[in-house]
Amino acid sequence: MARWQPDAPGRLAAAALDLFEEHGYENTTVIEIAEHAGLTKSTFFRYFPDKREVLFGGGTVTGLLVEGIASAPSTAGPLDVVADALDTLGRTFFTADRREFSRRRQAVLNATTELREREALKRIDLTASMIEALDRRGVPSLTARVAAQLGALVWEIAYDQWIDTGSPDNTDDFGTLARRALADVRATGALR
Amino acid sequence: MARWQPDAPGRLAAAALDLFEEHGYENTTVIEIAEHAGLTKSTFFRYFPDKREVLFGGGTVTGLLVEGIASAPSTAGPLDVVADALDTLGRTFFTADRREFSRRRQAVLNATTELREREALKRIDLTASMIEALDRRGVPSLTARVAAQLGALVWEIAYDQWIDTGSPDNTDDFGTLARRALADVRATGALR
DNA sequence: GCCAGTGATGGGACTTGGTCTCATCGACCC
DNA sequence: GGGTCGATGAGACCAAGTCCCATCACTGGC
């Protein structure tokens, strides 16, 4: 029964995003998502541990960032290491063809507390991964925490700008935006 | 029926913490919590929007912190404003008599992903509140974001130390720990 | 003292997320 | 052709969360 079809999780994620946009996250049932993808509830929960996770598919981002931190050149400070890693991320993941999807996804996330909650957890876990990665580079523990925290902020700023439709001249890639955001953050001199 | 008894939410929260410690969050039912407090499921959900929230009772902390930021003296930098506010918080909320409760609560939180998730959301919302409060003081937007982010980190460090049983000589109050943490964060010079 | 109103609670039906177990089907291999 | 394996479907089941209505205790006015 039900012959195999390619990329079940991908179809589920796409169906979910469509339905969330149309009816809202809370007014969409897992069964509806599954049916919309030509599958069933059983299969949905085989690929995603819960309903929220369908919009957080690839844990790949964390891996890429950690890799980026590990393989960054020995530059001046830990924040530059993070900036290098964000640049790598921009070239390997936050590519132009993913922008429209990211934009749609983010709009749904921002509209739903339950999803913002999951996003918050992901962010904290990601920050923890950054700290570990900096630790492995020999960065002192507290310095690593500060750098990771600021790195997360730089990420957030750059991501918002990358997604932003407002400015039509916004063709900068993610890495460029991240570098600029870091420079701005530095310029605040908030640590003084 | 069921005569009135004082402080229903308080009894629910206490019962919840007891049961979570004994059987774990996921192995504890809302019905069990309610019965343990001499109440019912209906009453539980009358006081808490969901099961997680029973451990996040007072939204008072945010209010206190925001107040603290608003009423801080015009000191050198925004980070000092935050430190002042944390000091106020230490005197008004993180008092010695709340330490044991906080310790038990935090142990439960750390053990459960679902609760860590809620905690992460609270932290982000709190950070947003700090940013607004700094904005109202006229702090430039980006500077406020950086300061709030670092303030959250300082909070985390101080809170962990305040709760920590490990060091027996740990009788410092929350505000003192926060000031020391801020000094340490500054000393890393991670922005350079 | 009685009665009506009010506020806190209880009770139970109902929806949905999430788990679990077992059956089914198609592909592939011998 | 039969057996195995991987992916899926089906359905029972539990707990979270929502809703609506009944019930009780207390209160104030008459």
Side-chain angles (χ1 to χ4, degrees):
Chain A
M1 190 192 291
R3 201 150 75 279
W4 187 85
Q5 294 187 299
D7 196 22
R11 273 167 32 235
L12 285 167
L17 184 53
D18 287 345
L19 293 173
F20 292 166
E21 277 181 327
E22 195 173 356
H23 307 118
Y25 174 83
E26 302 166 302
N27 299 319
T28 305
T29 262
V30 171
I31 297 188
E32 288 169 355
I33 300 173
E35 283 177 354
H36 200 272
L39 296 168
T40 64
K41 188 183 157 187
S42 296
T43 306
F44 181 98
F45 285 111
R46 208 179 311 275
Y47 287 107
F48 303 101
D50 57 48
K51 184 182 173 188
R52 290 146 235 129
E53 204 65 19
V54 72
L55 287 188
F56 296 86
T60 46
V61 201
T62 303
L64 288 172
L65 187 65
V66 167
E67 262 180 60
I69 291 180
S71 63
S74 315
T75 40
L79 264 181
D80 295 299
V81 170
V82 172
D84 278 345
L86 288 180
D87 195 72
T88 303
L89 202 59
R91 276 183 278 97
T92 57
F93 192 86
F94 291 137
T95 49
D97 54 306
R98 258 186 254 258
R99 250 185 56 155
E100 184 54 26
F101 175 83
S102 298
R103 194 198 322 277
R104 295 174 59 205
R105 171 179 173 279
Q106 195 61 36
V108 173
L109 293 196
N110 291 339
T112 316
T113 308
E114 203 171 324
L115 291 173
R116 285 208 313 123
E117 196 171 6
R118 177 58 51 88
E119 195 186 15
L121 180 62
K122 297 280 181 185
R123 177 181 171 150
I124 286 203
D125 285 347
L126 184 100
T127 305
S129 297
M130 287 179 59
I131 294 175
E132 285 173 30
L134 289 171
D135 265 347
R136 281 192 288 273
R137 282 182 72 97
V139 176
S141 170
L142 184 58
T143 307
R145 288 177 79 168
V146 177
Q149 200 70 22
L150 293 174
L153 176 59
V154 167
W155 172 314
E156 181 187 313
I157 294 173
Y159 189 70
D160 284 351
Q161 292 177 347
W162 182 67
I163 272 186
D164 183 18
T165 329
S167 47
D169 58 329
N170 183 2
T171 60
D172 290 323
D173 62 85
F174 183 79
T176 304
L177 292 168
R179 291 201 177 278
R180 197 175 311 154
L182 174 56
D184 291 344
V185 164
R186 275 204 169 107
T188 66
L191 264 186
R192 261 171 291 148
Chain B
M1 189 191 292
R3 202 149 78 279
W4 188 85
Q5 293 188 300
D7 197 22
R11 274 168 29 237
L12 285 167
L17 184 53
D18 286 346
L19 292 173
F20 291 165
E21 275 181 328
E22 194 173 355
H23 306 119
Y25 175 83
E26 301 165 302
N27 300 318
T28 305
T29 261
V30 170
I31 297 189
E32 289 169 355
I33 300 173
E35 283 178 354
H36 200 272
L39 296 169
T40 63
K41 188 182 157 188
S42 294
T43 306
F44 182 97
F45 285 111
R46 208 178 313 273
Y47 287 107
F48 303 101
D50 57 49
K51 184 182 173 187
R52 288 143 237 129
E53 204 66 20
V54 73
L55 288 187
F56 295 85
T60 46
V61 203
T62 303
L64 288 172
L65 188 65
V66 167
E67 262 179 59
I69 292 180
S71 63
S74 314
T75 39
L79 263 181
D80 295 298
V81 171
V82 172
D84 279 345
L86 289 180
D87 196 71
T88 302
L89 203 58
R91 275 182 279 98
T92 56
F93 192 86
F94 292 137
T95 49
D97 55 305
R98 256 188 255 257
R99 251 185 56 155
E100 185 54 25
F101 175 83
S102 298
R103 196 199 319 277
R104 295 175 58 207
R105 172 179 172 280
Q106 195 61 36
V108 172
L109 293 196
N110 291 339
T112 315
T113 308
E114 203 171 323
L115 292 174
R116 287 209 311 123
E117 195 171 6
R118 177 57 52 88
E119 195 187 14
L121 180 61
K122 298 279 181 187
R123 176 181 173 150
I124 287 202
D125 285 348
L126 183 101
T127 304
S129 297
M130 289 179 58
I131 294 175
E132 284 173 31
L134 289 171
D135 265 347
R136 281 192 287 272
R137 284 182 70 97
V139 175
S141 170
L142 183 58
T143 307
R145 289 177 79 168
V146 177
Q149 200 70 24
L150 292 174
L153 176 59
V154 167
W155 171 313
E156 181 187 313
I157 295 174
Y159 189 70
D160 284 351
Q161 291 176 348
W162 182 66
I163 271 186
D164 184 16
T165 328
S167 45
D169 59 328
N170 183 4
T171 60
D172 291 325
D173 62 85
F174 184 78
T176 305
L177 291 168
R179 290 200 178 281
R180 197 174 312 154
L182 174 56
D184 291 345
V185 164
R186 276 202 169 109
T188 66
L191 264 186
R192 260 171 290 151

